[in-house]
Amino acid sequence: PAAPAVASGGPRVQVLHPGGAPAPEAWVAFLSRDECQRRRAAADGRDQPPYELVDESGQRARTDADGRVALPGTDSPWVVVARAGDGFGVLAAAASGDHVLQLARDEQVELYARFADGAAAAVPVAVCQQWTKSDSKTIWSGETGADGRATIRHFQLLREDAGNEREPAAEERFAAVLRVPTTPRVLTEFDGRRTTDEAVELLVPDLGKLQVQLLCHTGVPLLSAARVGFGAAARSREDDAFPVSRSLLHRSVGKPVGAAAVELPYAQLGRPHRVYARFPGARRTVYATTPEATGSRGAVAHVEISPHPEHAVLAGRLLLAGGAAVGDTRATLTIWRGERVQYTTTVTTIADGRWDCVVTGRSDADDWRVELRIERPDAPTDEEGATGAFGAVVPFGPWPGGARCEVGDVLLQPLPELAAGVVVDDLGAAVVGALVTVEQEVPATAPATQPAGERSVLTLSSSSRTNRSRGPRAPSGPTWRGLRALTTTTDADGAFQLAGFLPPGKLRVRADTREHLAETRPLTPPASDLRFVLARNGVFGGRVVLPGWLPDRAVTVTLTPRADEQGRARSEGVKAAGGGRFSIEPLRQGVYDATITMRGLQEPLVLIPDILIRPGDQRDPRLDPVDLTAAVFRYELRARDAGGRAMDLDGPIHARLQGRDGSWSEAGFRWQGGRAELITAHPVAELTFFGRGFAPLRQVYAPGTHDVYLRTHRPALVDISGARSLSGPDRKVRISAILKGDTGYPSSLSGTDQLTGRRFWFPRWDLGRSSGGWLGATDLVEIPLMQAGKYELIFRAHANETTRTPQTQVSLGEFELTPGGATTTTVELASQQVADALQQLDRKWQQQQERRSGAPRQRPRD
């Protein structure tokens, strides 16, 4: 079709071929991001990628001779798709400005699932991507068609790039997976960059169905809703060749309310399956193992599942006055014990009013009662209890596990009004949809008692942290708990009505929305004229103009209140989309200070005091906009050795930065694969590079790209006379060196990666405070050092040739060590002390092995 005319006034896009040349006469489709989101939300469960939606139904145009096209003006950014030849690309274009859309070679993958005798139609399949030494990630999932095939379009947009965090030697792998729990898994690896049109085949075993019937402990079919499913067998070593998440192979269905059984498809024939059921009101999951599903394809295996022995089944029937059954209705069930709510859930009746609910059993013989209530908005207004709420309270005894406890026929009566009123904002306008809840005060808890002279000590075996309780805990203050059964929302006039039985204890009513500040009123029924005035939240907006090379959310705007009663500080990361605009909410009325900070830096870029926040939208000309394009500077560093060759270096960088007032601040950065990027607010940076094996270097840099030439040290040579013969030929031994003086540098260094936001930390051995070397076949040890000095040498030996065994250590004394390898430091080994330590270590290791194997321990001989 002819390309429609496109009005100017919006962004301009240039489309380039994969090789970088302009793409004339390229097809361009575009749709606003808001429209994409609206159509995806209305897609009735079809999870369609935005670029496919744009390609199918977006507006269309063609590029000119230079590969350019002008799009119409829009408030929402455009999602742009372009194709030319075998190239395809997608771009999110802001509402204005120039953009470049680089096409990539369009790729397509076709999967073919088949049984031994033909196509496997409508079976779930997926594609996973894995980088070696990492778990796989599902990048596409779907179902095969009637011909057993599934086509994955634009595969180049689905696969994940290696990124900066991958190891340089990481290998990309792909696999097509049958999303069915089979033994073994059905999985076929394939080349991600497809060079052939041949389909990736999956050989599917014969599949049947599982029919699951849920029964209570007495054999009566359960009416309660539940989640029923089955999954893959335990992971085997063969699965490690290409790891796939077990959740990907999981199959489950929701059991609706009623006595009917449910069916689980895709059950492998000839194998037993472990089926489970989860009930909404019970903590534990129950399991049952099916017999082997036998027969021809499509055969059905039957299995029955009952609740766990600790579960109880509460059951009854709901009736209205006159004996009419309350059928197909959701009811709120609340279990009270004394003045406290113990449990609240929702049950649904079937046509004759019956219901049941699986809960954790309780055998306490205390004061229990069950409260049931329903909402009937269609109740006649002239009927007694015109609130439209009906309910009843039934005294109840304990419900032990493994039993069915009948509540019996429950006659629901109209519920009296507890509270009514209206909710408005600070301007007097009605607040629609405000959540209004009755809350009950929970008394303060008593201090935890402990016998005099005793204390509890809990040691975490997985770490060195210890949690010690040295005395009684302080009592906690009273709190308020919302009663789920007594909750409603305001109507179009801001009015509300709460009906129900009066709960015991001290009560209040709370009104709240996401856009307003909450307010409470004491509840003393009847309270029919409550009026809540909810102050609107303050919403503070503005714009920060940043350099285009800054990553999203690297800069953060924070509002900090001057007074504690105004709440806590709130922050918002600045994104490039939308031109750097931000919005912070909710905010209480008051005075705030605004700071703009850069990730990884201690001092703020901008500090703006005395911002007055009132209800509603707020602006401040000092932040609308604030231009930081000339306030931040970029340093790009490349590590080089003395010969100018690139160094694959990972290690710490210490920065001293001088502010405009002359004060100094410090920050931690790092090398990653021999490259480093620093973003600061300072036009000059004093950087120190140090680490094991090369000499410290301190230099001053200006913003820009710089080569950093680092001089490596040859290690210090230490001869530990007799160490190898005394240790034995197979024992793992390390000689550690700990500097006794001061390096003049930090003892540790931490920071935040400015691109990804991830925290990093370097310990003392990366900062020259300590080092070490492994003892080889001889007594000579090479220890990389950062500088010469006096070091304490420590002999550290393991029980055998691995480092996963216990370790012992013996100090060898202090020695002057010099890097460079010009001299060798000879150390006399304290043979008897080392021999005793090794003997004790071997005894400890033997005892550990005996405990693990269950063998009886022998008393060591002196």
Side-chain angles (χ1 to χ4, degrees), residues 320-322 374 376-390 412-415:
L320 289 176
I374 63 172
R376 290 179 62 100
D378 57 340
T381 55
D382 58 349
E383 184 178 334
E384 183 182 356
T387 60
F390 295 77
L412 302 180
Q413 301 291 337
L415 293 176

mmCIF file with all atom_site columns, all heavy atoms in Angstrom, residues 320-322 374 376-390 412-415:
data_model
loop_
_atom_site.group_PDB
_atom_site.id
_atom_site.type_symbol
_atom_site.label_atom_id
_atom_site.label_alt_id
_atom_site.label_comp_id
_atom_site.label_asym_id
_atom_site.label_entity_id
_atom_site.label_seq_id
_atom_site.pdbx_PDB_ins_code
_atom_site.Cartn_x
_atom_site.Cartn_y
_atom_site.Cartn_z
_atom_site.occupancy
_atom_site.B_iso_or_equiv
_atom_site.pdbx_formal_charge
_atom_site.auth_seq_id
_atom_site.auth_comp_id
_atom_site.auth_asym_id
_atom_site.auth_atom_id
_atom_site.pdbx_PDB_model_num
ATOM 1   N N   . LEU A 1 320 ? -31.201 -18.006 54.589 1.00 0.00 ? 320 LEU A N   1
ATOM 2   C CA  . LEU A 1 320 ? -31.824 -16.741 54.944 1.00 0.00 ? 320 LEU A CA  1
ATOM 3   C C   . LEU A 1 320 ? -33.109 -17.010 55.725 1.00 0.00 ? 320 LEU A C   1
ATOM 4   O O   . LEU A 1 320 ? -33.553 -18.166 55.851 1.00 0.00 ? 320 LEU A O   1
ATOM 5   C CB  . LEU A 1 320 ? -32.135 -15.915 53.689 1.00 0.00 ? 320 LEU A CB  1
ATOM 6   C CG  . LEU A 1 320 ? -30.935 -15.323 52.949 1.00 0.00 ? 320 LEU A CG  1
ATOM 7   C CD1 . LEU A 1 320 ? -31.401 -14.627 51.685 1.00 0.00 ? 320 LEU A CD1 1
ATOM 8   C CD2 . LEU A 1 320 ? -30.168 -14.363 53.844 1.00 0.00 ? 320 LEU A CD2 1
ATOM 9   N N   . ALA A 1 321 ? -33.691 -15.940 56.259 1.00 0.00 ? 321 ALA A N   1
ATOM 10  C CA  . ALA A 1 321 ? -34.959 -16.087 56.967 1.00 0.00 ? 321 ALA A CA  1
ATOM 11  C C   . ALA A 1 321 ? -35.978 -16.731 56.039 1.00 0.00 ? 321 ALA A C   1
ATOM 12  O O   . ALA A 1 321 ? -36.115 -16.355 54.878 1.00 0.00 ? 321 ALA A O   1
ATOM 13  C CB  . ALA A 1 321 ? -35.460 -14.723 57.442 1.00 0.00 ? 321 ALA A CB  1
ATOM 14  N N   . GLY A 1 322 ? -36.703 -17.698 56.538 1.00 0.00 ? 322 GLY A N   1
ATOM 15  C CA  . GLY A 1 322 ? -37.648 -18.435 55.711 1.00 0.00 ? 322 GLY A CA  1
ATOM 16  C C   . GLY A 1 322 ? -37.057 -19.704 55.155 1.00 0.00 ? 322 GLY A C   1
ATOM 17  O O   . GLY A 1 322 ? -37.750 -20.485 54.506 1.00 0.00 ? 322 GLY A O   1
ATOM 18  N N   . ILE A 1 374 ? -22.489 -11.916 54.549 1.00 0.00 ? 374 ILE A N   1
ATOM 19  C CA  . ILE A 1 374 ? -22.564 -11.733 53.106 1.00 0.00 ? 374 ILE A CA  1
ATOM 20  C C   . ILE A 1 374 ? -23.065 -10.330 52.834 1.00 0.00 ? 374 ILE A C   1
ATOM 21  O O   . ILE A 1 374 ? -23.674 -9.685  53.701 1.00 0.00 ? 374 ILE A O   1
ATOM 22  C CB  . ILE A 1 374 ? -23.505 -12.768 52.433 1.00 0.00 ? 374 ILE A CB  1
ATOM 23  C CG1 . ILE A 1 374 ? -24.940 -12.582 52.941 1.00 0.00 ? 374 ILE A CG1 1
ATOM 24  C CG2 . ILE A 1 374 ? -23.014 -14.177 52.636 1.00 0.00 ? 374 ILE A CG2 1
ATOM 25  C CD1 . ILE A 1 374 ? -25.961 -13.411 52.197 1.00 0.00 ? 374 ILE A CD1 1
ATOM 26  N N   . ARG A 1 376 ? -25.503 -8.176  50.296 1.00 0.00 ? 376 ARG A N   1
ATOM 27  C CA  . ARG A 1 376 ? -26.574 -8.304  49.303 1.00 0.00 ? 376 ARG A CA  1
ATOM 28  C C   . ARG A 1 376 ? -27.038 -6.905  48.902 1.00 0.00 ? 376 ARG A C   1
ATOM 29  O O   . ARG A 1 376 ? -27.992 -6.362  49.469 1.00 0.00 ? 376 ARG A O   1
ATOM 30  C CB  . ARG A 1 376 ? -27.748 -9.117  49.859 1.00 0.00 ? 376 ARG A CB  1
ATOM 31  C CG  . ARG A 1 376 ? -27.433 -10.598 50.035 1.00 0.00 ? 376 ARG A CG  1
ATOM 32  C CD  . ARG A 1 376 ? -28.641 -11.321 50.613 1.00 0.00 ? 376 ARG A CD  1
ATOM 33  N NE  . ARG A 1 376 ? -29.787 -11.246 49.733 1.00 0.00 ? 376 ARG A NE  1
ATOM 34  C CZ  . ARG A 1 376 ? -30.155 -12.234 48.931 1.00 0.00 ? 376 ARG A CZ  1
ATOM 35  N NH1 . ARG A 1 376 ? -29.460 -13.350 48.884 1.00 0.00 ? 376 ARG A NH1 1
ATOM 36  N NH2 . ARG A 1 376 ? -31.214 -12.104 48.170 1.00 0.00 ? 376 ARG A NH2 1
ATOM 37  N N   . PRO A 1 377 ? -26.348 -6.295  47.934 1.00 0.00 ? 377 PRO A N   1
ATOM 38  C CA  . PRO A 1 377 ? -26.753 -4.939  47.512 1.00 0.00 ? 377 PRO A CA  1
ATOM 39  C C   . PRO A 1 377 ? -28.161 -4.884  46.951 1.00 0.00 ? 377 PRO A C   1
ATOM 40  O O   . PRO A 1 377 ? -28.779 -3.821  46.909 1.00 0.00 ? 377 PRO A O   1
ATOM 41  C CB  . PRO A 1 377 ? -25.723 -4.581  46.440 1.00 0.00 ? 377 PRO A CB  1
ATOM 42  C CG  . PRO A 1 377 ? -24.601 -5.552  46.630 1.00 0.00 ? 377 PRO A CG  1
ATOM 43  C CD  . PRO A 1 377 ? -25.199 -6.788  47.189 1.00 0.00 ? 377 PRO A CD  1
ATOM 44  N N   . ASP A 1 378 ? -28.693 -6.043  46.509 1.00 0.00 ? 378 ASP A N   1
ATOM 45  C CA  . ASP A 1 378 ? -30.014 -6.057  45.899 1.00 0.00 ? 378 ASP A CA  1
ATOM 46  C C   . ASP A 1 378 ? -31.135 -6.189  46.934 1.00 0.00 ? 378 ASP A C   1
ATOM 47  O O   . ASP A 1 378 ? -32.300 -6.335  46.575 1.00 0.00 ? 378 ASP A O   1
ATOM 48  C CB  . ASP A 1 378 ? -30.113 -7.219  44.913 1.00 0.00 ? 378 ASP A CB  1
ATOM 49  C CG  . ASP A 1 378 ? -29.807 -8.566  45.576 1.00 0.00 ? 378 ASP A CG  1
ATOM 50  O OD1 . ASP A 1 378 ? -29.172 -8.573  46.660 1.00 0.00 ? 378 ASP A OD1 1
ATOM 51  O OD2 . ASP A 1 378 ? -30.170 -9.604  44.989 1.00 0.00 ? 378 ASP A OD2 1
ATOM 52  N N   . ALA A 1 379 ? -30.775 -6.160  48.244 1.00 0.00 ? 379 ALA A N   1
ATOM 53  C CA  . ALA A 1 379 ? -31.814 -6.297  49.266 1.00 0.00 ? 379 ALA A CA  1
ATOM 54  C C   . ALA A 1 379 ? -32.784 -5.119  49.189 1.00 0.00 ? 379 ALA A C   1
ATOM 55  O O   . ALA A 1 379 ? -32.362 -3.977  48.998 1.00 0.00 ? 379 ALA A O   1
ATOM 56  C CB  . ALA A 1 379 ? -31.181 -6.361  50.659 1.00 0.00 ? 379 ALA A CB  1
ATOM 57  N N   . PRO A 1 380 ? -34.108 -5.359  49.345 1.00 0.00 ? 380 PRO A N   1
ATOM 58  C CA  . PRO A 1 380 ? -35.086 -4.262  49.289 1.00 0.00 ? 380 PRO A CA  1
ATOM 59  C C   . PRO A 1 380 ? -34.804 -3.229  50.369 1.00 0.00 ? 380 PRO A C   1
ATOM 60  O O   . PRO A 1 380 ? -34.448 -3.570  51.495 1.00 0.00 ? 380 PRO A O   1
ATOM 61  C CB  . PRO A 1 380 ? -36.429 -4.975  49.527 1.00 0.00 ? 380 PRO A CB  1
ATOM 62  C CG  . PRO A 1 380 ? -36.169 -6.416  49.200 1.00 0.00 ? 380 PRO A CG  1
ATOM 63  C CD  . PRO A 1 380 ? -34.739 -6.677  49.529 1.00 0.00 ? 380 PRO A CD  1
ATOM 64  N N   . THR A 1 381 ? -34.979 -1.968  50.027 1.00 0.00 ? 381 THR A N   1
ATOM 65  C CA  . THR A 1 381 ? -34.678 -0.884  50.978 1.00 0.00 ? 381 THR A CA  1
ATOM 66  C C   . THR A 1 381 ? -35.668 -0.839  52.123 1.00 0.00 ? 381 THR A C   1
ATOM 67  O O   . THR A 1 381 ? -35.380 -0.267  53.167 1.00 0.00 ? 381 THR A O   1
ATOM 68  C CB  . THR A 1 381 ? -34.695 0.467   50.258 1.00 0.00 ? 381 THR A CB  1
ATOM 69  O OG1 . THR A 1 381 ? -35.965 0.630   49.598 1.00 0.00 ? 381 THR A OG1 1
ATOM 70  C CG2 . THR A 1 381 ? -33.593 0.534   49.224 1.00 0.00 ? 381 THR A CG2 1
ATOM 71  N N   . ASP A 1 382 ? -36.882 -1.411  51.930 1.00 0.00 ? 382 ASP A N   1
ATOM 72  C CA  . ASP A 1 382 ? -37.851 -1.393  53.018 1.00 0.00 ? 382 ASP A CA  1
ATOM 73  C C   . ASP A 1 382 ? -37.726 -2.618  53.908 1.00 0.00 ? 382 ASP A C   1
ATOM 74  O O   . ASP A 1 382 ? -38.493 -2.803  54.834 1.00 0.00 ? 382 ASP A O   1
ATOM 75  C CB  . ASP A 1 382 ? -39.278 -1.303  52.455 1.00 0.00 ? 382 ASP A CB  1
ATOM 76  C CG  . ASP A 1 382 ? -39.580 -2.467  51.501 1.00 0.00 ? 382 ASP A CG  1
ATOM 77  O OD1 . ASP A 1 382 ? -38.626 -3.193  51.137 1.00 0.00 ? 382 ASP A OD1 1
ATOM 78  O OD2 . ASP A 1 382 ? -40.757 -2.626  51.142 1.00 0.00 ? 382 ASP A OD2 1
ATOM 79  N N   . GLU A 1 383 ? -36.750 -3.490  53.608 1.00 0.00 ? 383 GLU A N   1
ATOM 80  C CA  . GLU A 1 383 ? -36.537 -4.679  54.425 1.00 0.00 ? 383 GLU A CA  1
ATOM 81  C C   . GLU A 1 383 ? -35.770 -4.298  55.684 1.00 0.00 ? 383 GLU A C   1
ATOM 82  O O   . GLU A 1 383 ? -34.932 -3.394  55.690 1.00 0.00 ? 383 GLU A O   1
ATOM 83  C CB  . GLU A 1 383 ? -35.746 -5.709  53.608 1.00 0.00 ? 383 GLU A CB  1
ATOM 84  C CG  . GLU A 1 383 ? -35.545 -7.037  54.334 1.00 0.00 ? 383 GLU A CG  1
ATOM 85  C CD  . GLU A 1 383 ? -34.795 -8.024  53.442 1.00 0.00 ? 383 GLU A CD  1
ATOM 86  O OE1 . GLU A 1 383 ? -34.893 -7.874  52.206 1.00 0.00 ? 383 GLU A OE1 1
ATOM 87  O OE2 . GLU A 1 383 ? -34.129 -8.911  53.988 1.00 0.00 ? 383 GLU A OE2 1
ATOM 88  N N   . GLU A 1 384 ? -36.063 -4.994  56.760 1.00 0.00 ? 384 GLU A N   1
ATOM 89  C CA  . GLU A 1 384 ? -35.344 -4.715  58.004 1.00 0.00 ? 384 GLU A CA  1
ATOM 90  C C   . GLU A 1 384 ? -33.859 -4.979  57.784 1.00 0.00 ? 384 GLU A C   1
ATOM 91  O O   . GLU A 1 384 ? -33.465 -6.008  57.237 1.00 0.00 ? 384 GLU A O   1
ATOM 92  C CB  . GLU A 1 384 ? -35.884 -5.612  59.123 1.00 0.00 ? 384 GLU A CB  1
ATOM 93  C CG  . GLU A 1 384 ? -35.221 -5.331  60.473 1.00 0.00 ? 384 GLU A CG  1
ATOM 94  C CD  . GLU A 1 384 ? -35.730 -6.265  61.551 1.00 0.00 ? 384 GLU A CD  1
ATOM 95  O OE1 . GLU A 1 384 ? -36.642 -7.067  61.244 1.00 0.00 ? 384 GLU A OE1 1
ATOM 96  O OE2 . GLU A 1 384 ? -35.214 -6.207  62.673 1.00 0.00 ? 384 GLU A OE2 1
ATOM 97  N N   . GLY A 1 385 ? -33.044 -4.032  58.249 1.00 0.00 ? 385 GLY A N   1
ATOM 98  C CA  . GLY A 1 385 ? -31.608 -4.157  57.993 1.00 0.00 ? 385 GLY A CA  1
ATOM 99  C C   . GLY A 1 385 ? -31.280 -3.777  56.569 1.00 0.00 ? 385 GLY A C   1
ATOM 100 O O   . GLY A 1 385 ? -30.693 -4.536  55.825 1.00 0.00 ? 385 GLY A O   1
ATOM 101 N N   . ALA A 1 386 ? -31.697 -2.605  56.169 1.00 0.00 ? 386 ALA A N   1
ATOM 102 C CA  . ALA A 1 386 ? -31.532 -2.178  54.786 1.00 0.00 ? 386 ALA A CA  1
ATOM 103 C C   . ALA A 1 386 ? -30.095 -1.879  54.404 1.00 0.00 ? 386 ALA A C   1
ATOM 104 O O   . ALA A 1 386 ? -29.843 -1.325  53.361 1.00 0.00 ? 386 ALA A O   1
ATOM 105 C CB  . ALA A 1 386 ? -32.404 -0.948  54.532 1.00 0.00 ? 386 ALA A CB  1
ATOM 106 N N   . THR A 1 387 ? -29.165 -2.224  55.294 1.00 0.00 ? 387 THR A N   1
ATOM 107 C CA  . THR A 1 387 ? -27.761 -2.027  54.939 1.00 0.00 ? 387 THR A CA  1
ATOM 108 C C   . THR A 1 387 ? -27.328 -2.961  53.822 1.00 0.00 ? 387 THR A C   1
ATOM 109 O O   . THR A 1 387 ? -26.299 -2.742  53.194 1.00 0.00 ? 387 THR A O   1
ATOM 110 C CB  . THR A 1 387 ? -26.865 -2.291  56.163 1.00 0.00 ? 387 THR A CB  1
ATOM 111 O OG1 . THR A 1 387 ? -27.056 -3.645  56.590 1.00 0.00 ? 387 THR A OG1 1
ATOM 112 C CG2 . THR A 1 387 ? -27.190 -1.347  57.300 1.00 0.00 ? 387 THR A CG2 1
ATOM 113 N N   . GLY A 1 388 ? -28.089 -4.017  53.576 1.00 0.00 ? 388 GLY A N   1
ATOM 114 C CA  . GLY A 1 388 ? -27.713 -4.987  52.549 1.00 0.00 ? 388 GLY A CA  1
ATOM 115 C C   . GLY A 1 388 ? -26.725 -6.014  53.041 1.00 0.00 ? 388 GLY A C   1
ATOM 116 O O   . GLY A 1 388 ? -26.251 -6.826  52.251 1.00 0.00 ? 388 GLY A O   1
ATOM 117 N N   . ALA A 1 389 ? -26.376 -6.006  54.332 1.00 0.00 ? 389 ALA A N   1
ATOM 118 C CA  . ALA A 1 389 ? -25.442 -6.973  54.909 1.00 0.00 ? 389 ALA A CA  1
ATOM 119 C C   . ALA A 1 389 ? -26.205 -7.930  55.812 1.00 0.00 ? 389 ALA A C   1
ATOM 120 O O   . ALA A 1 389 ? -27.085 -7.522  56.575 1.00 0.00 ? 389 ALA A O   1
ATOM 121 C CB  . ALA A 1 389 ? -24.352 -6.255  55.697 1.00 0.00 ? 389 ALA A CB  1
ATOM 122 N N   . PHE A 1 390 ? -25.871 -9.232  55.722 1.00 0.00 ? 390 PHE A N   1
ATOM 123 C CA  . PHE A 1 390 ? -26.510 -10.260 56.528 1.00 0.00 ? 390 PHE A CA  1
ATOM 124 C C   . PHE A 1 390 ? -25.412 -11.097 57.165 1.00 0.00 ? 390 PHE A C   1
ATOM 125 O O   . PHE A 1 390 ? -24.356 -11.324 56.566 1.00 0.00 ? 390 PHE A O   1
ATOM 126 C CB  . PHE A 1 390 ? -27.410 -11.159 55.673 1.00 0.00 ? 390 PHE A CB  1
ATOM 127 C CG  . PHE A 1 390 ? -28.592 -10.440 55.076 1.00 0.00 ? 390 PHE A CG  1
ATOM 128 C CD1 . PHE A 1 390 ? -28.435 -9.618  53.972 1.00 0.00 ? 390 PHE A CD1 1
ATOM 129 C CD2 . PHE A 1 390 ? -29.851 -10.586 55.631 1.00 0.00 ? 390 PHE A CD2 1
ATOM 130 C CE1 . PHE A 1 390 ? -29.526 -8.955  53.417 1.00 0.00 ? 390 PHE A CE1 1
ATOM 131 C CE2 . PHE A 1 390 ? -30.943 -9.919  55.085 1.00 0.00 ? 390 PHE A CE2 1
ATOM 132 C CZ  . PHE A 1 390 ? -30.785 -9.101  53.981 1.00 0.00 ? 390 PHE A CZ  1
ATOM 133 N N   . LEU A 1 412 ? -28.794 -16.534 58.488 1.00 0.00 ? 412 LEU A N   1
ATOM 134 C CA  . LEU A 1 412 ? -28.246 -15.183 58.387 1.00 0.00 ? 412 LEU A CA  1
ATOM 135 C C   . LEU A 1 412 ? -29.347 -14.159 58.635 1.00 0.00 ? 412 LEU A C   1
ATOM 136 O O   . LEU A 1 412 ? -30.448 -14.254 58.068 1.00 0.00 ? 412 LEU A O   1
ATOM 137 C CB  . LEU A 1 412 ? -27.627 -14.955 57.009 1.00 0.00 ? 412 LEU A CB  1
ATOM 138 C CG  . LEU A 1 412 ? -26.505 -15.922 56.607 1.00 0.00 ? 412 LEU A CG  1
ATOM 139 C CD1 . LEU A 1 412 ? -25.991 -15.573 55.222 1.00 0.00 ? 412 LEU A CD1 1
ATOM 140 C CD2 . LEU A 1 412 ? -25.373 -15.888 57.618 1.00 0.00 ? 412 LEU A CD2 1
ATOM 141 N N   . GLN A 1 413 ? -29.032 -13.176 59.476 1.00 0.00 ? 413 GLN A N   1
ATOM 142 C CA  . GLN A 1 413 ? -29.964 -12.110 59.804 1.00 0.00 ? 413 GLN A CA  1
ATOM 143 C C   . GLN A 1 413 ? -29.418 -10.785 59.287 1.00 0.00 ? 413 GLN A C   1
ATOM 144 O O   . GLN A 1 413 ? -28.209 -10.611 59.115 1.00 0.00 ? 413 GLN A O   1
ATOM 145 C CB  . GLN A 1 413 ? -30.144 -12.025 61.326 1.00 0.00 ? 413 GLN A CB  1
ATOM 146 C CG  . GLN A 1 413 ? -30.670 -13.284 61.969 1.00 0.00 ? 413 GLN A CG  1
ATOM 147 C CD  . GLN A 1 413 ? -32.115 -13.566 61.586 1.00 0.00 ? 413 GLN A CD  1
ATOM 148 O OE1 . GLN A 1 413 ? -32.863 -12.650 61.203 1.00 0.00 ? 413 GLN A OE1 1
ATOM 149 N NE2 . GLN A 1 413 ? -32.524 -14.832 61.687 1.00 0.00 ? 413 GLN A NE2 1
ATOM 150 N N   . PRO A 1 414 ? -30.327 -9.801  59.034 1.00 0.00 ? 414 PRO A N   1
ATOM 151 C CA  . PRO A 1 414 ? -29.833 -8.469  58.641 1.00 0.00 ? 414 PRO A CA  1
ATOM 152 C C   . PRO A 1 414 ? -28.930 -7.893  59.727 1.00 0.00 ? 414 PRO A C   1
ATOM 153 O O   . PRO A 1 414 ? -29.215 -8.003  60.919 1.00 0.00 ? 414 PRO A O   1
ATOM 154 C CB  . PRO A 1 414 ? -31.114 -7.643  58.463 1.00 0.00 ? 414 PRO A CB  1
ATOM 155 C CG  . PRO A 1 414 ? -32.189 -8.654  58.233 1.00 0.00 ? 414 PRO A CG  1
ATOM 156 C CD  . PRO A 1 414 ? -31.804 -9.871  59.020 1.00 0.00 ? 414 PRO A CD  1
ATOM 157 N N   . LEU A 1 415 ? -27.836 -7.287  59.307 1.00 0.00 ? 415 LEU A N   1
ATOM 158 C CA  . LEU A 1 415 ? -26.856 -6.749  60.241 1.00 0.00 ? 415 LEU A CA  1
ATOM 159 C C   . LEU A 1 415 ? -27.148 -5.278  60.523 1.00 0.00 ? 415 LEU A C   1
ATOM 160 O O   . LEU A 1 415 ? -27.495 -4.518  59.612 1.00 0.00 ? 415 LEU A O   1
ATOM 161 C CB  . LEU A 1 415 ? -25.446 -6.890  59.682 1.00 0.00 ? 415 LEU A CB  1
ATOM 162 C CG  . LEU A 1 415 ? -24.930 -8.333  59.549 1.00 0.00 ? 415 LEU A CG  1
ATOM 163 C CD1 . LEU A 1 415 ? -23.562 -8.345  58.888 1.00 0.00 ? 415 LEU A CD1 1
ATOM 164 C CD2 . LEU A 1 415 ? -24.869 -9.011  60.911 1.00 0.00 ? 415 LEU A CD2 1
#
